[in-house]
Amino acid sequence: MLELGPILRSMLRNKIAVGLLMVEIAFTMAVVVNCLNLVIANNERMSIPTGLDEEQILVLRSQPHGDAFDEDDFLRNVIDQDLALIRSQPGVVDATAMSPTPLQGGGSSTQLKAVGLPDDKLVRAPQYRLDEHFLNTLGLELVAGRNFTPDDIPPPQPPPEEGEEPPPPRFDNIIVTQDLADALYPDGDALGKQTTGVGDSEVGDTIVGIVGYMYTPYDQGASGMETRILFYPRKPGSRSGIRYLVRTEPGAFDTLFTDLEERVLSVNRDRIVSTESLMEVKRRGIFQNLIVVQILTAIIVLLLLVTSIGIFGMTSFAVTKRTRQIGTRRALGATRFAIVRLFLVENGLITAFGVGIGLVVALLINQMIVANTDNVSSLSPALIAGSLALLFGIGLLSTLVPALRGARVPPAIASRSA
């Protein structure tokens, strides 16, 4: 049975070095476990399913620069010609003009409520403007009601002349996701009901369809609205730019990605046309999460490396300083295993005290993070256990090499050492 007394006394004789190493281990434990928790939270956020056929969708951007695009009728005619051309291409499943681009990590949002409810029942939702081809283009599933029809899309409204009365408000047929329908009408009877914005309006937009699920990254999920999505019937596009989403058949994406720009330019060349994949848009949308993961991973690796170097250095110093003592133990019959065990137990105790202190600090830090950050959960028992195993494993490996060197000290060294 190994005597703990001599080990503890040895630690007390080197209390400054032991104390500093404990503080280093405690700091590493407190930071690493919370960094791992944040890495897990950000990885989970990046892996949330979107409900879109994102790998087969490309985004085509048209940036007009010809003066003719200032005319609304000309602009609408070009959009119609573009969409007709794109949809006629071999390998294209469908296409739609859409604003803003989904998965871009933000966009446009609005507040709405069931007609007749007070303003404190308003629900915030991302909103998209698109035509009747959007369901097939995005790969969304309509679970209730109907899709848009061309009749749902209002004609462009020119701005009123100076002194002219503005036109009366238009009420649209709209489509919402199931989560938005449930938020507006918790009883599950949203189809056919009306919604309105701020105020006491008695009429509003009518929900004609419900989409099963869609997700878009928005404000890091702080408002919880990322699956509560609203679709308006429009053909969006302006002098400042037009965005088309094009869904391709499997195997046709690369060809269309390369060739579609030139084909669309054949309709009108007074513009700049570019393409990118929706996956590229998504990567930009989750760029903040990706950077956080990379930075936190680097911090974790750096702290673990510094801690392992600290443990290795202290054990190496202890072996060098106690060479005569090791030789004496060997001369009195101690085996090499007993010498290795001595250093492993000693550093195991230091690690245990350090991670114990660090765990308390980690829990306090986690409470502050959870209280001030969305989408971050409390430390799970599995994560704590894994972090403890990681720290003890690093401590064991960092101690083992110098401990094995100490075990090779011959018994005769006791008589030769000063």
Side-chain angles (χ1 to χ4, degrees):
M1 185 71 179
L2 187 66
E3 292 286 344
L4 291 179
I7 295 176
L8 294 174
R9 286 193 291 272
S10 174
M11 291 168 60
L12 289 174
R13 284 194 297 271
N14 300 280
K15 52 182 174 289
I16 294 179
V18 169
L20 289 174
L21 186 57
M22 284 184 184
V23 169
E24 182 180 2
I25 294 171
F27 177 79
T28 300
M29 176 65 185
V31 174
V32 164
V33 70
N34 278 290
C35 284
L36 285 172
N37 195 43
L38 290 170
V39 167
I40 291 171
N42 280 275
N43 275 326
E44 288 177 347
R45 179 169 174 76
M46 289 190 292
S47 61
I48 295 174
T50 64
L52 310 181
D53 188 14
E54 56 197 69
E55 293 183 355
Q56 299 298 325
I57 296 175
L58 63 85
V59 181
L60 191 147
R61 301 176 188 273
S62 170
Q63 180 65 56
H65 55 75
D67 293 338
F69 284 93
D70 291 331
E71 297 294 329
D72 221 27
D73 289 341
F74 180 85
L75 175 67
R76 297 297 154 191
N77 185 52
V78 170
I79 293 174
D80 289 340
Q81 291 181 65
D82 285 346
L83 288 171
L85 175 69
I86 293 169
R87 291 166 185 157
S88 70
Q89 299 303 305
V92 171
V93 175
D94 212 337
T96 185
M98 185 172 184
S99 180
T101 306
L103 309 186
Q104 68 179 14
S108 175
S109 68
T110 187
Q111 295 186 90
L112 65 163
K113 63 183 180 180
V115 167
L117 293 183
D119 286 349
D120 61 3
K121 299 297 183 181
L122 286 165
V123 177
R124 182 165 290 280
Q127 58 180 346
Y128 293 96
R129 297 174 295 280
L130 26 68
D131 65 18
E132 70 274 13
H133 291 264
F134 86 99
L135 287 174
N136 198 31
T137 301
L138 299 181
L140 297 174
E141 179 187 6
L142 189 71
V143 296
R146 66 170 177 85
N147 191 10
F148 293 139
T149 67
D151 291 338
D152 292 319
I153 300 173
Q157 290 283 346
E161 299 289 339
E162 185 176 353
E164 183 182 354
E165 287 292 325
R170 172 189 169 87
F171 299 109
D172 294 293
N173 291 326
I174 60 173
I175 294 175
V176 299
T177 58
Q178 186 68 64
D179 283 352
L180 179 55
D182 293 340
L184 293 169
Y185 291 92
D187 293 335
D189 55 350
L191 190 64
K193 296 296 180 62
Q194 292 187 330
T195 69
T196 186
V198 177
D200 299 323
S201 175
E202 296 181 358
V203 292
D205 299 328
T206 302
I207 299 174
V208 298
I210 299 176
V211 168
Y213 174 83
M214 177 179 165
Y215 164 84
T216 188
Y218 206 105
D219 67 10
Q220 291 298 303
S223 60
M225 66 179 182
E226 294 177 317
T227 58
R228 301 196 303 254
I229 298 172
L230 169 65
F231 305 98
Y232 279 110
R234 296 288 189 275
K235 274 192 180 171
S238 67
R239 181 70 169 80
S240 60
I242 311 161
R243 284 183 291 262
Y244 304 112
L245 267 70
V246 183
R247 184 182 178 191
T248 68
E249 295 174 355
F253 184 92
D254 292 339
T255 300
L256 288 165
F257 188 90
T258 304
D259 298 343
L260 203 54
E261 291 180 18
E262 186 61 33
R263 295 177 189 178
V264 170
L265 277 173
S266 68
V267 174
N268 185 290
R269 293 193 171 274
D270 290 339
R271 51 184 173 166
I272 300 170
V273 178
S274 61
T275 53
E276 65 178 336
S277 69
L278 189 58
M279 293 295 290
E280 291 178 274
V281 176
K282 181 181 179 181
R283 279 190 286 272
R284 288 201 303 273
I286 61 175
F287 181 73
Q288 179 177 339
N289 302 98
L290 183 61
I291 288 297
V292 168
V293 168
Q294 292 175 341
I295 291 174
L296 293 179
T297 300
I299 291 173
I300 291 169
V301 171
L302 181 62
L303 282 175
L304 293 177
L305 179 62
V306 170
T307 301
S308 64
I309 292 172
I311 296 173
F312 178 87
M314 181 173 174
T315 307
S316 297
F317 177 75
V319 168
T320 302
K321 184 178 179 182
R322 291 149 67 178
T323 300
R324 183 177 180 184
Q325 181 189 66
I326 295 171
T328 302
R329 285 178 175 270
R330 294 282 283 118
L332 293 174
T335 63
R336 290 184 175 182
F337 174 75
I339 300 301
V340 172
R341 185 178 63 176
L342 171 71
F343 287 105
L344 290 180
V345 172
E346 182 174 310
N347 281 278
L349 289 172
I350 294 172
T351 303
F353 284 124
V355 298
I357 297 169
L359 181 57
V360 173
V361 177
L363 292 171
L364 293 175
I365 293 174
N366 178 250
Q367 287 181 359
M368 290 188 289
I369 293 175
V370 171
N372 294 281
T373 308
D374 295 289
N375 300 320
V376 178
S377 60
S378 300
L379 299 177
S380 67
L383 179 59
I384 292 173
S387 301
L388 290 173
L390 179 63
L391 265 295
F392 274 104
I394 288 175
L396 174 66
L397 293 175
S398 301
T399 304
L400 193 57
V401 173
L404 289 171
R405 179 165 58 85
R408 290 195 295 270
V409 173
I413 200 73
S415 60
R416 293 202 303 266
S417 298

